[in-house]
mmCIF file of all heavy atoms in Angstrom:
data_model
loop_
_atom_site.group_PDB
_atom_site.id
_atom_site.type_symbol
_atom_site.label_atom_id
_atom_site.label_comp_id
_atom_site.label_asym_id
_atom_site.label_seq_id
_atom_site.Cartn_x
_atom_site.Cartn_y
_atom_site.Cartn_z
ATOM 1 N N TYR A 314 153.864 -55.876 -74.269
ATOM 2 C CA TYR A 314 153.755 -55.968 -72.803
ATOM 3 C C TYR A 314 153.226 -57.348 -72.393
ATOM 4 O O TYR A 314 153.791 -58.008 -71.514
ATOM 5 C CB TYR A 314 152.823 -54.858 -72.293
ATOM 6 C CG TYR A 314 152.520 -54.954 -70.818
ATOM 7 C CD1 TYR A 314 153.495 -54.653 -69.874
ATOM 8 C CD2 TYR A 314 151.260 -55.353 -70.379
ATOM 9 C CE1 TYR A 314 153.221 -54.753 -68.514
ATOM 10 C CE2 TYR A 314 150.976 -55.451 -69.026
ATOM 11 C CZ TYR A 314 151.956 -55.151 -68.104
ATOM 12 O OH TYR A 314 151.682 -55.262 -66.764
ATOM 13 N N LEU A 315 152.179 -57.802 -73.061
ATOM 14 C CA LEU A 315 151.583 -59.090 -72.676
ATOM 15 C C LEU A 315 152.512 -60.262 -73.012
ATOM 16 O O LEU A 315 152.509 -61.278 -72.317
ATOM 17 C CB LEU A 315 150.228 -59.281 -73.363
ATOM 18 C CG LEU A 315 149.142 -58.282 -72.957
ATOM 19 C CD1 LEU A 315 147.822 -58.623 -73.641
ATOM 20 C CD2 LEU A 315 148.925 -58.258 -71.433
ATOM 21 N N LYS A 316 153.291 -60.098 -74.063
ATOM 22 C CA LYS A 316 154.222 -61.163 -74.479
ATOM 23 C C LYS A 316 155.174 -61.547 -73.346
ATOM 24 O O LYS A 316 155.601 -62.681 -73.223
ATOM 25 C CB LYS A 316 155.044 -60.645 -75.663
ATOM 26 C CG LYS A 316 155.344 -61.681 -76.687
ATOM 27 C CD LYS A 316 155.711 -61.105 -78.026
ATOM 28 C CE LYS A 316 157.004 -60.328 -78.004
ATOM 29 N NZ LYS A 316 157.356 -59.773 -79.314
ATOM 30 N N GLU A 317 155.485 -60.567 -72.499
ATOM 31 C CA GLU A 317 156.451 -60.791 -71.400
ATOM 32 C C GLU A 317 155.781 -61.277 -70.115
ATOM 33 O O GLU A 317 156.464 -61.502 -69.117
ATOM 34 C CB GLU A 317 157.188 -59.475 -71.083
ATOM 35 C CG GLU A 317 157.984 -58.885 -72.237
ATOM 36 C CD GLU A 317 159.201 -59.719 -72.569
ATOM 37 O OE1 GLU A 317 159.596 -60.547 -71.731
ATOM 38 O OE2 GLU A 317 159.730 -59.564 -73.684
ATOM 39 N N GLN A 318 154.454 -61.372 -70.116
ATOM 40 C CA GLN A 318 153.764 -61.705 -68.863
ATOM 41 C C GLN A 318 153.856 -63.203 -68.535
ATOM 42 O O GLN A 318 153.414 -64.045 -69.317
ATOM 43 C CB GLN A 318 152.283 -61.299 -68.945
ATOM 44 C CG GLN A 318 152.066 -59.801 -68.888
ATOM 45 C CD GLN A 318 152.590 -59.186 -67.590
ATOM 46 O OE1 GLN A 318 152.330 -59.688 -66.495
ATOM 47 N NE2 GLN A 318 153.343 -58.104 -67.718
ATOM 48 N N THR A 319 154.383 -63.519 -67.355
ATOM 49 C CA THR A 319 154.485 -64.924 -66.944
ATOM 50 C C THR A 319 153.097 -65.532 -66.732
ATOM 51 O O THR A 319 152.962 -66.754 -66.726
ATOM 52 C CB THR A 319 155.282 -65.061 -65.628
ATOM 53 O OG1 THR A 319 154.640 -64.274 -64.636
ATOM 54 C CG2 THR A 319 156.713 -64.601 -65.800
ATOM 55 N N TYR A 320 152.092 -64.677 -66.564
ATOM 56 C CA TYR A 320 150.724 -65.182 -66.358
ATOM 57 C C TYR A 320 150.308 -66.115 -67.498
ATOM 58 O O TYR A 320 149.571 -67.073 -67.282
ATOM 59 C CB TYR A 320 149.753 -63.998 -66.271
ATOM 60 C CG TYR A 320 148.313 -64.415 -66.081
ATOM 61 C CD1 TYR A 320 147.869 -64.945 -64.878
ATOM 62 C CD2 TYR A 320 147.388 -64.277 -67.122
ATOM 63 C CE1 TYR A 320 146.556 -65.336 -64.700
ATOM 64 C CE2 TYR A 320 146.069 -64.664 -66.948
ATOM 65 C CZ TYR A 320 145.657 -65.189 -65.740
ATOM 66 O OH TYR A 320 144.354 -65.583 -65.575
ATOM 67 N N LEU A 321 150.783 -65.831 -68.705
ATOM 68 C CA LEU A 321 150.392 -66.652 -69.858
ATOM 69 C C LEU A 321 151.119 -67.990 -69.885
ATOM 70 O O LEU A 321 150.706 -68.902 -70.580
ATOM 71 C CB LEU A 321 150.667 -65.886 -71.162
ATOM 72 C CG LEU A 321 149.724 -64.714 -71.423
ATOM 73 C CD1 LEU A 321 150.164 -63.937 -72.648
ATOM 74 C CD2 LEU A 321 148.280 -65.199 -71.586
ATOM 75 N N ASN A 322 152.182 -68.100 -69.104
ATOM 76 C CA ASN A 322 153.014 -69.292 -69.203
ATOM 77 C C ASN A 322 153.793 -69.511 -67.902
ATOM 78 O O ASN A 322 155.018 -69.521 -67.910
ATOM 79 C CB ASN A 322 153.992 -69.037 -70.369
ATOM 80 C CG ASN A 322 154.574 -70.311 -70.891
ATOM 81 O OD1 ASN A 322 154.120 -71.398 -70.550
ATOM 82 N ND2 ASN A 322 155.615 -70.178 -71.703
ATOM 83 N N PRO A 323 153.091 -69.691 -66.768
ATOM 84 C CA PRO A 323 153.808 -69.691 -65.478
ATOM 85 C C PRO A 323 154.535 -70.990 -65.160
ATOM 86 O O PRO A 323 155.367 -71.038 -64.261
ATOM 87 C CB PRO A 323 152.693 -69.452 -64.454
ATOM 88 C CG PRO A 323 151.470 -69.987 -65.106
ATOM 89 C CD PRO A 323 151.639 -69.832 -66.588
ATOM 90 N N HIS A 324 154.179 -72.076 -65.879
ATOM 91 C CA HIS A 324 154.817 -73.374 -65.655
ATOM 92 C C HIS A 324 154.691 -74.169 -66.946
ATOM 93 O O HIS A 324 153.913 -73.802 -67.836
ATOM 94 C CB HIS A 324 154.189 -74.120 -64.472
ATOM 95 C CG HIS A 324 152.712 -73.876 -64.314
ATOM 96 N ND1 HIS A 324 151.812 -74.119 -65.329
ATOM 97 C CD2 HIS A 324 151.974 -73.389 -63.295
ATOM 98 C CE1 HIS A 324 150.601 -73.799 -64.915
ATOM 99 N NE2 HIS A 324 150.658 -73.340 -63.703
ATOM 100 N N PRO A 325 155.443 -75.276 -67.090
ATOM 101 C CA PRO A 325 155.439 -75.984 -68.371
ATOM 102 C C PRO A 325 154.034 -76.447 -68.790
ATOM 103 O O PRO A 325 153.301 -77.038 -67.986
ATOM 104 C CB PRO A 325 156.339 -77.193 -68.105
ATOM 105 C CG PRO A 325 157.177 -76.814 -66.946
ATOM 106 C CD PRO A 325 156.356 -75.896 -66.109
ATOM 107 N N LEU A 326 153.699 -76.179 -70.033
ATOM 108 C CA LEU A 326 152.394 -76.544 -70.596
ATOM 109 C C LEU A 326 152.144 -78.050 -70.489
ATOM 110 O O LEU A 326 151.021 -78.503 -70.286
ATOM 111 C CB LEU A 326 152.387 -76.113 -72.074
ATOM 112 C CG LEU A 326 151.043 -75.914 -72.745
ATOM 113 C CD1 LEU A 326 150.226 -74.859 -72.007
ATOM 114 C CD2 LEU A 326 151.257 -75.484 -74.191
ATOM 115 N N GLU A 327 153.241 -78.822 -70.602
ATOM 116 C CA GLU A 327 153.129 -80.289 -70.588
ATOM 117 C C GLU A 327 152.514 -80.812 -69.289
ATOM 118 O O GLU A 327 151.964 -81.909 -69.247
ATOM 119 C CB GLU A 327 154.518 -80.936 -70.751
ATOM 120 C CG GLU A 327 155.180 -80.712 -72.085
ATOM 121 C CD GLU A 327 155.979 -79.410 -72.142
ATOM 122 O OE1 GLU A 327 155.643 -78.449 -71.410
ATOM 123 O OE2 GLU A 327 156.939 -79.360 -72.927
ATOM 124 N N LEU A 328 152.599 -80.040 -68.220
ATOM 125 C CA LEU A 328 152.028 -80.495 -66.953
ATOM 126 C C LEU A 328 150.504 -80.378 -66.964
ATOM 127 O O LEU A 328 149.824 -80.906 -66.083
ATOM 128 C CB LEU A 328 152.613 -79.686 -65.777
ATOM 129 C CG LEU A 328 154.089 -79.959 -65.466
ATOM 130 C CD1 LEU A 328 154.611 -78.970 -64.428
ATOM 131 C CD2 LEU A 328 154.266 -81.383 -64.943
ATOM 132 N N GLN A 329 149.961 -79.635 -67.941
ATOM 133 C CA GLN A 329 148.505 -79.493 -68.153
ATOM 134 C C GLN A 329 147.773 -79.016 -66.898
ATOM 135 O O GLN A 329 146.642 -79.420 -66.645
ATOM 136 C CB GLN A 329 147.925 -80.837 -68.605
ATOM 137 C CG GLN A 329 148.574 -81.358 -69.858
ATOM 138 C CD GLN A 329 147.930 -82.645 -70.356
ATOM 139 O OE1 GLN A 329 147.019 -83.179 -69.743
ATOM 140 N NE2 GLN A 329 148.398 -83.133 -71.470
ATOM 141 N N LEU A 330 148.430 -78.160 -66.133
ATOM 142 C CA LEU A 330 147.840 -77.776 -64.847
ATOM 143 C C LEU A 330 146.607 -76.894 -65.012
ATOM 144 O O LEU A 330 145.717 -76.914 -64.171
ATOM 145 C CB LEU A 330 148.894 -77.045 -63.998
ATOM 146 C CG LEU A 330 150.116 -77.897 -63.659
ATOM 147 C CD1 LEU A 330 151.210 -77.052 -63.045
ATOM 148 C CD2 LEU A 330 149.732 -79.023 -62.715
ATOM 149 N N ARG A 331 146.582 -76.108 -66.099
ATOM 150 C CA ARG A 331 145.430 -75.229 -66.278
ATOM 151 C C ARG A 331 144.294 -75.897 -67.058
ATOM 152 O O ARG A 331 143.322 -75.246 -67.377
ATOM 153 C CB ARG A 331 145.883 -73.944 -66.982
ATOM 154 C CG ARG A 331 146.602 -73.002 -66.013
ATOM 155 C CD ARG A 331 147.212 -71.850 -66.738
ATOM 156 N NE ARG A 331 147.443 -70.727 -65.854
ATOM 157 C CZ ARG A 331 147.985 -69.593 -66.268
ATOM 158 N NH1 ARG A 331 148.346 -69.450 -67.519
ATOM 159 N NH2 ARG A 331 148.164 -68.580 -65.421
ATOM 160 N N ASN A 332 144.474 -77.165 -67.360
ATOM 161 C CA ASN A 332 143.388 -77.901 -68.043
ATOM 162 C C ASN A 332 142.325 -78.333 -67.035
ATOM 163 O O ASN A 332 141.267 -78.790 -67.400
ATOM 164 C CB ASN A 332 143.933 -79.171 -68.722
ATOM 165 C CG ASN A 332 144.923 -78.854 -69.806
ATOM 166 O OD1 ASN A 332 145.604 -77.846 -69.733
ATOM 167 N ND2 ASN A 332 145.015 -79.679 -70.818
ATOM 168 N N HIS A 333 142.664 -78.191 -65.751
ATOM 169 C CA HIS A 333 141.744 -78.710 -64.724
ATOM 170 C C HIS A 333 141.348 -77.654 -63.703
ATOM 171 O O HIS A 333 140.802 -77.992 -62.660
ATOM 172 C CB HIS A 333 142.403 -79.902 -64.009
ATOM 173 C CG HIS A 333 142.932 -80.929 -64.962
ATOM 174 N ND1 HIS A 333 142.107 -81.777 -65.658
ATOM 175 C CD2 HIS A 333 144.191 -81.197 -65.388
ATOM 176 C CE1 HIS A 333 142.857 -82.551 -66.458
ATOM 177 N NE2 HIS A 333 144.122 -82.203 -66.312
ATOM 178 N N VAL A 334 141.681 -76.385 -63.953
ATOM 179 C CA VAL A 334 141.282 -75.343 -62.985
ATOM 180 C C VAL A 334 140.493 -74.271 -63.715
ATOM 181 O O VAL A 334 140.545 -74.161 -64.928
ATOM 182 C CB VAL A 334 142.491 -74.677 -62.285
ATOM 183 C CG1 VAL A 334 143.218 -75.690 -61.439
ATOM 184 C CG2 VAL A 334 143.447 -74.022 -63.274
#
Side-chain angles (χ1 to χ4, degrees):
Y314 174 72
L315 295 183
K316 217 160 65 180
E317 300 290 343
Q318 288 300 313
T319 57
Y320 179 71
L321 289 174
N322 200 11
H324 34 56
L326 201 59
E327 294 87 333
L328 290 172
Q329 302 184 358
L330 298 170
R331 283 172 158 180
N332 297 29
H333 309 286
V334 295

